[in-house]
Amino acid sequence: MNDRSISIDKMNNFIKKLVGFSVGPVIGAMITFITIPLTTHFINPSEYGKASIFLLLQTIVGTFLYLGVDQAYTREYHSIQNKKHLFQNAILIPLMLAFLIFIVILLFLSDISLLLFGDEKFKIATILFGIMIIVMVVERFILLSLRMQEKALEYSLLTILTKLSILIFTLIFIFLLRRDFLAIVYSAIIGQLLADLYLIIRYRTLFKYKEFSINKKLLKRMVLFGLPILIATSISSLLNSLDRLALRAWSDFYEIGIFTATLKIAGVLSIIQLSFTSFWTPTAYRWYDQKKDIKYFKLVSDGILLCMSLIFMFIVGFKDLIVYILSPEYSDARYIVAFLCLQPIIYTVSETTSLGIVFSRKTYLSIWVGVVAVVPNFIINLLLVPKLGALGAAIATSVSYICFFIARTYFSSKNGMSFSVVNHYIVLTILFFTAIANAYLQSYLTLTNSLIFVILIILQASTIKKIFDLYKSEKFKVKNKEKISV
């Protein structure tokens, strides 16, 4: 077999794995997109807000629970021969913490019920929440094991199973049992528990106690590796949670419901983010190793900025459809959707301007990036949420992600990946003021959006020309090769 055949086989294998791992998130996002209007059409914003606080706290607890050991597990996976021994040691501390949290929940059941649901009478739901935390840990490490074995399709199918299980129970509760926030809570808990129960039974050999032994050196190494990641992840989690925590502290459940429902719609953009980063991360590393000219990195950055800004304007132009999807009770979503769409858009663009951080291996800079974003987030939430509710939280989120972009780009430029991003700042500023216009302008809004669209095209005309020229150049090369081969 010649080198070209080997290269083609490697490429085909890479594409298969990429598609395999992408199937789960894409179909999962589609299931989520179906679930949103089903719940918002039958459950009012206040009830939806109560449920969202429950789901938010589940995410926050999960962030701290793993202590970064989940990331250490993936780091150690290929360097340790006995995979089952590694799995059992890695899951040990997070599982112990999960059981400890469950005991605390049982001891302070009324207080935690009040914190989760605003009422101490929902004790059964709170106990189920504690059980769900335990099985979440098990699910996390089983799925990580599948990922590290590169069982892409199996990983995706199991991810889809969990989402589908939650959707089925959502339908059962809404159409047959009840239409309040507990319908979302119970369907999320029961759906998750059943899917995870299947995982535990299917992969029960990973938990064989007779083969278990504690490896103190390995545990210490994983904890030391994981703690800095825990700090960065915690800051990131705080950045993504402050908006709803602020609404819980200084507003009401109606505003939380409006905000969360809109956030889930905007979150569909994360499919684009995932698809791009799946392709871009390995490509960027390969280009760096090949010492590719920085102009190619800039072209990709300019190209993704163009794409994301046009997607933003498309969403803004059709934002009234979101109200139709969610239901009339969520009509206030039209005022905040543009702000919340900035979050995945800015993050995706920042993936092309922050490469200097990872290339230089100075990942600790991500902690400072998080701090730079969290501080304005907290201050703006404090100032605006009591007055503006969900709109204030949405403004805080968008401003903090602009700060996130600035910090990421700055640290990257100081560590070997410096190219002009003036146009990036101009375009992002325009997008932010477009979000403000769509929140406050009632008349001439269509004209305003059309004018902004034209301005964005003019500002990025050189990028369009470069992409078009590159396309023509590549097409010309292909034609020449075909002529030569003939």
Side-chain angles (χ1 to χ4, degrees):
M1 186 179 287
N2 59 34
D3 291 342
R4 188 173 181 274
S5 299
I6 294 169
S7 179
I8 290 169
D9 287 341
K10 283 182 178 178
M11 179 57 70
N12 288 337
N13 189 41
F14 171 78
I15 291 169
K16 282 179 184 178
K17 286 177 182 177
L18 176 61
V19 171
F21 279 118
S22 299
V23 166
V26 171
I27 296 179
M30 289 169 64
I31 293 171
T32 301
F33 194 75
I34 294 167
T35 309
I36 294 166
L38 277 172
T39 50
T40 54
H41 269 82
F42 295 103
I43 296 173
N44 67 51
S46 294
E47 293 293 304
Y48 195 83
K50 290 179 184 177
S52 71
I53 289 296
F54 162 80
L55 296 172
L56 174 65
L57 288 175
Q58 174 195 337
T59 304
I60 293 171
V61 169
T63 301
F64 290 98
L65 197 60
Y66 304 124
L67 293 177
V69 174
D70 54 337
Q71 299 301 315
Y73 173 65
T74 61
R75 174 67 182 83
E76 297 287 345
Y77 191 85
H78 292 296
S79 61
I80 292 181
Q81 193 172 1
N82 190 334
K83 309 301 182 191
K84 191 181 292 184
H85 177 72
L86 173 63
F87 176 89
Q88 291 178 349
N89 275 270
I91 201 173
L92 182 63
I93 296 175
L95 204 54
M96 288 172 64
L97 280 174
F99 275 106
L100 182 62
I101 291 170
F102 181 60
I103 292 168
V104 171
I105 287 171
L106 293 178
L107 291 174
F108 302 95
L109 196 54
S110 297
D111 294 328
I112 293 171
S113 297
L114 187 64
L115 174 68
L116 286 174
F117 308 113
D119 198 317
E120 4 180 283
K121 68 182 180 183
F122 301 115
K123 292 178 181 177
I124 294 174
T126 307
I127 292 170
L128 286 173
F129 171 73
I131 296 170
M132 186 170 69
I133 288 171
I134 295 170
V135 296
M136 269 170 53
V137 174
V138 178
E139 178 195 283
R140 173 68 174 161
F141 281 90
I142 290 175
L143 290 180
L144 279 177
S145 179
L146 290 175
R147 272 181 61 188
M148 297 312 296
Q149 293 173 59
E150 299 191 52
K151 294 181 178 179
L153 192 58
E154 190 173 354
Y155 172 85
S156 284
L157 288 174
L158 290 169
T159 305
I160 293 165
L161 173 67
T162 305
K163 296 283 186 183
L164 198 58
S165 178
I166 292 170
L167 173 60
I168 290 167
F169 279 98
T170 300
L171 292 172
I172 291 170
F173 272 93
I174 287 175
F175 289 110
L176 299 177
L177 299 173
R178 62 196 308 154
R179 293 183 178 178
D180 59 2
F181 78 96
L182 284 175
I184 300 173
V185 170
Y186 284 139
S187 60
I189 292 173
I190 296 170
Q192 184 85 41
L193 287 176
L194 285 179
D196 289 345
L197 183 63
Y198 169 78
L199 273 178
I200 293 167
I201 293 170
R202 181 174 172 80
Y203 300 100
R204 59 189 178 276
T205 55
L206 289 168
F207 301 92
K208 282 188 177 178
Y209 182 72
K210 290 180 181 178
E211 299 175 20
F212 175 68
S213 62
I214 295 175
N215 187 328
K216 291 182 181 179
K217 286 183 180 179
L218 177 61
L219 280 173
K220 184 180 178 181
R221 190 162 71 241
M222 287 194 291
V223 170
L224 289 175
F225 179 90
L227 283 177
I229 294 173
L230 172 66
I231 296 168
T233 306
S234 301
I235 294 171
S236 178
S237 177
L238 183 62
L239 175 63
N240 293 322
S241 308
L242 265 176
D243 39 35
R244 280 152 291 170
L245 294 174
L247 286 167
R248 179 72 179 93
W250 301 310
S251 190
D252 54 39
F253 284 117
Y254 171 83
E255 296 291 332
I256 297 171
I258 294 292
F259 186 92
T260 306
T262 314
L263 191 63
K264 285 184 178 291
I265 293 290
V268 174
L269 286 171
S270 63
I271 298 172
I272 299 169
Q273 177 190 317
L274 178 64
S275 300
F276 173 71
T277 52
S278 296
F279 152 76
W280 175 235
T281 302
T283 303
Y285 277 116
R286 176 164 52 82
W287 285 6
Y288 181 73
D289 289 338
Q290 293 171 351
K291 302 190 184 304
K292 202 95 166 175
D293 195 291
I294 199 166
K295 69 180 181 182
Y296 293 102
F297 292 93
K298 177 170 169 52
L299 181 59
V300 171
S301 187
D302 291 340
I304 200 68
L305 177 69
L306 171 66
C307 291
M308 298 310 284
S309 59
L310 294 182
I311 290 169
F312 176 85
M313 292 309 300
F314 176 81
I315 292 169
V316 165
F318 292 93
K319 69 180 186 301
D320 288 340
L321 279 175
I322 291 170
V323 176
Y324 178 76
I325 291 170
L326 292 176
S327 92
E329 282 190 277
Y330 291 77
S331 59
D332 288 343
R334 72 183 63 167
Y335 303 115
I336 66 172
V337 66
F339 285 112
L340 294 184
C341 282
L342 282 173
Q343 176 182 339
I345 285 170
I346 291 172
Y347 187 92
T348 306
V349 176
S350 77
E351 288 288 278
T352 66
T353 64
S354 62
L355 293 167
I357 296 173
V358 290
F359 288 164
S360 65
R361 300 181 184 274
K362 295 179 180 179
T363 51
Y364 65 88
L365 291 172
S366 296
I367 297 173
W368 293 109
V369 171
V371 171
V372 169
V374 163
V375 171
N377 190 305
F378 177 78
I379 294 169
I380 296 170
N381 272 310
L382 180 64
L383 295 174
L384 297 186
V385 166
K387 297 176 183 178
L388 301 177
L391 179 58
I395 292 170
T397 298
S398 58
V399 171
S400 65
Y401 266 88
I402 290 171
C403 294
F404 173 86
F405 175 84
I406 293 169
R408 242 184 158 193
T409 304
Y410 172 78
F411 286 128
S412 177
S413 68
K414 293 296 180 184
N415 287 279
M417 187 54 62
S418 180
F419 52 80
S420 177
V421 288
V422 173
N423 217 38
H424 289 60
Y425 291 130
I426 294 171
V427 169
L428 292 180
T429 302
I430 290 171
L431 297 186
F432 179 71
F433 281 104
T434 303
I436 292 174
N438 280 266
Y440 287 101
L441 280 184
Q442 301 299 322
S443 55
Y444 304 109
L445 192 54
T446 304
L447 179 63
T448 302
N449 287 335
S450 301
L451 182 61
I452 291 169
F453 179 80
V454 172
I455 291 169
L456 288 171
I457 293 293
I458 293 170
L459 277 170
Q460 300 179 89
S462 62
T463 302
I464 297 170
K465 186 178 182 302
K466 285 176 186 176
I467 293 170
F468 185 68
D469 288 345
L470 184 65
Y471 170 76
K472 284 199 302 183
S473 173
E474 291 300 319
K475 196 173 181 183
F476 179 74
K477 286 177 184 177
V478 171
K479 282 183 178 179
N480 277 351
K481 283 181 182 178
E482 288 174 353
K483 286 178 182 178
I484 293 167
S485 62
V486 171

